[in-house]
Amino acid sequence: MHISPLVAPDAELSNNEVLRYSRHLLIPEVGLEGQKRLKNCRVLVIGAGGLGSPVLLYLAAAGVGTLGIVDFDVVDESNLQRQVIHKQSNIGKRKSISARDTIKEINPHVQVVLHEERLEAANAQAIISGYDLIVDGTDNFATRYLVNDVCVLSKKPYVWGSIYRFEGQVSVFWENAPGDVGLNYRDLYPEPPPPEMAPSCAEGGVLGILCASIGSMMATEAIKLITGIGETLLGRLAVYDALDMSYRFIPIKRAPVRTPITQLIDYQEFCGGKQTTKLQNSIPVISALELREMQEKGEAIQLIDVRGIEEWNIVRIEGATHIPKNKMMSEDVLSKMNKKDFIVVHCKMGARSKDVLIEMQKHGFTNAKSLDGGILAWIKDVDQSLPSY
């Protein structure tokens, strides 16, 4: 729906800015006034990763006056396939600093504010309070619900997007939008999915260019909100399928049963993360070096790889047997295994293998361990000749 401009056109444009943004100024719907609104706006982008990269690049190029970046992570080589704001020379550098440096090369007129910390209930309100619009490109449900609740309490709009493999989603949420149209993220997802049903891109993968498609939609929605042009995605969910090259727009209605948001909560617990972590912390583990030592001694070990077939095809530990997680946790498979065998289960980083061991313990397996750190720890500590991913 159409929304009035988010900020006033108070800022003045220099001669250099008039030249830089001339293609915007020629559009009647944007014009000089719209460009001044962009310059006067403060936008917080949460995450400088796959979605945050194109959002930051295009909002900076568009002339948003102040861009805040929330990110505490560092650039890894595996990020470069999709996080286009970072470069090879930035590997090992803080993502927020890398993003700031790229933005300054794109548009020196943009002020960049860094928040090099994890967004949590203790700091989220203080950080978000300094901005007019929030853009959420995070990849975990706990942060999404946190951002939503803070925006509801602070009466701020935010643009949300998500990606997985070939599909992406985008919407706009604003509980206190003008008129009786206020919606928030809980209207779309009243409850978070179980942790085991919410794989990350690190586990399931993502088509790199999908980030550009969804990120550009998010940046477009931000510009429309700031300038008051067009019809926003408030009240609609845009779903993009890159394989089919198809777009669907699904109406979002207020949830029938709504619990008023009056305060922030423990979002890790709300999303089941603490319970999962507590269970996983009780799982016995073995280090990559300990496993290697046992192998060299010729001890009997049944090594089971519970990753997906795509990951198995990329790299594997010699001697491992491949049984994907869902199959490994089935009654049919577990009933055929010898509970007396010493079993080591592993995945990429250790989380999925611990989930498997939790299920195995329920079936009476007491002589099984998870490879601490997964195959990535094996590559790092034992066999650096293997490819990482």
Side-chain angles (χ1 to χ4, degrees):
M1 64 170 295
H2 178 76
I3 297 291
S4 298
L6 190 60
V7 297
D10 291 345
E12 292 296 328
L13 301 183
S14 67
N15 290 342
N16 286 339
E17 288 174 306
V18 170
L19 174 62
R20 176 181 289 269
Y21 308 127
S22 61
R23 300 306 186 270
H24 274 178
L25 304 184
L26 294 172
I27 303 174
E29 291 83 357
V30 180
L32 186 62
E33 184 175 278
Q35 194 62 50
K36 288 180 178 180
R37 295 185 195 277
L38 289 169
K39 183 177 179 179
N40 196 40
C41 195
R42 297 174 59 86
V43 178
L44 180 67
V45 178
I46 304 175
L51 292 176
S53 289
V55 168
L56 287 165
L57 289 172
Y58 275 103
L59 291 185
V64 170
T66 302
L67 285 173
I69 304 173
V70 178
D71 203 303
F72 63 94
D73 201 2
V74 299
V75 180
D76 181 81
E77 189 165 7
S78 65
N79 302 148
L80 303 183
Q81 161 258 9
R82 65 200 177 281
Q83 299 180 17
V84 293
I85 203 167
H86 311 298
K87 304 175 178 62
Q88 182 75 20
S89 59
N90 297 134
I91 292 175
K93 182 185 292 186
R94 290 269 191 177
K95 286 185 180 179
S96 56
I97 295 175
S98 170
R100 179 200 62 193
D101 294 346
T102 302
I103 289 170
K104 287 301 182 182
E105 286 294 316
I106 291 173
N107 191 345
H109 300 287
V110 177
Q111 179 184 359
V112 181
V113 181
L114 303 186
H115 304 277
E116 298 177 84
E117 54 193 311
R118 185 190 298 272
L119 195 71
E120 297 177 334
N123 62 13
Q125 286 180 298
I127 293 174
I128 287 175
S129 65
Y131 295 89
D132 304 301
L133 175 65
I134 315 303
V135 180
D136 179 16
T138 56
D139 63 354
N140 69 88
F141 282 91
T143 304
R144 290 170 184 170
Y145 282 102
L146 168 61
V147 172
N148 174 78
D149 292 2
V150 174
C151 286
V152 169
L153 292 174
S154 58
K155 301 181 180 180
K156 295 182 186 291
Y158 77 100
V159 180
W160 165 81
S162 71
I163 49 175
Y164 183 70
R165 292 188 172 170
F166 297 100
E167 186 176 282
Q169 301 179 355
V170 183
S171 192
V172 172
F173 298 104
W174 193 359
E175 178 72 12
N176 303 95
D180 190 27
V181 295
L183 295 167
N184 69 69
Y185 183 71
R186 292 175 183 268
D187 291 309
L188 179 61
Y189 294 111
E191 299 289 339
E196 65 272 13
M197 297 298 292
S200 67
C201 291
E203 293 180 354
V206 62
L207 184 68
I209 201 167
L210 178 67
C211 300
S213 302
I214 299 302
S216 65
M217 291 174 69
M218 295 169 70
T220 301
E221 289 302 300
I223 290 173
K224 287 157 61 179
L225 285 166
I226 296 167
T227 59
I229 63 175
E231 298 288 327
T232 72
L233 283 173
L234 181 63
R236 294 183 295 159
L237 175 68
V239 181
Y240 170 60
D241 188 323
L243 283 183
D244 294 340
M245 192 53 71
S246 64
Y247 292 87
R248 292 180 292 137
F249 295 91
I250 303 169
I252 304 174
K253 304 295 183 181
R254 288 196 179 194
V257 179
R258 260 176 156 227
T259 302
I261 299 168
T262 59
Q263 61 182 3
L264 303 184
I265 60 175
D266 187 328
Y267 293 91
Q268 292 295 332
E269 183 176 4
F270 176 66
C271 294
K274 280 195 171 181
Q275 181 179 3
T276 300
T277 300
K278 185 177 180 180
L279 287 171
Q280 288 190 344
N281 286 342
S282 66
I283 293 299
V285 298
I286 183 172
S287 72
L289 291 175
E290 289 172 332
L291 175 60
R292 182 59 171 173
E293 184 179 351
M294 292 182 67
Q295 289 178 329
E296 290 175 343
K297 291 180 179 179
E299 298 185 29
I301 305 168
Q302 188 174 354
L303 180 60
I304 300 176
D305 186 332
V306 298
R307 298 174 301 152
I309 185 61
E310 295 82 7
E311 297 172 277
W312 168 264
N313 289 336
I314 294 171
V315 61
R316 67 193 72 168
I317 300 175
E318 185 177 353
T321 300
H322 181 232
I323 307 177
K325 176 183 173 181
N326 290 343
K327 187 175 180 181
M328 181 65 187
M329 296 175 71
S330 68
E331 176 73 30
D332 182 56
V333 170
L334 293 177
S335 64
K336 296 175 182 177
M337 298 181 68
N338 188 346
K339 294 182 174 65
K340 295 182 180 180
D341 289 344
F342 179 63
I343 301 172
V344 175
V345 183
H346 86 81
C347 58
K348 180 179 180 179
M349 295 179 285
R352 284 173 283 176
S353 59
K354 288 183 178 180
D355 288 341
V356 169
L357 254 68
I358 290 171
E359 188 65 25
M360 292 177 69
Q361 288 180 339
K362 294 177 183 177
H363 286 76
F365 287 83
T366 59
N367 198 26
K369 292 186 177 183
S370 169
L371 178 59
D372 196 21
I375 195 170
L376 294 187
W378 179 269
I379 295 169
K380 175 178 177 292
D381 298 334
V382 177
D383 191 352
Q384 292 83 14
S385 68
L386 296 176
S388 188
Y389 69 104

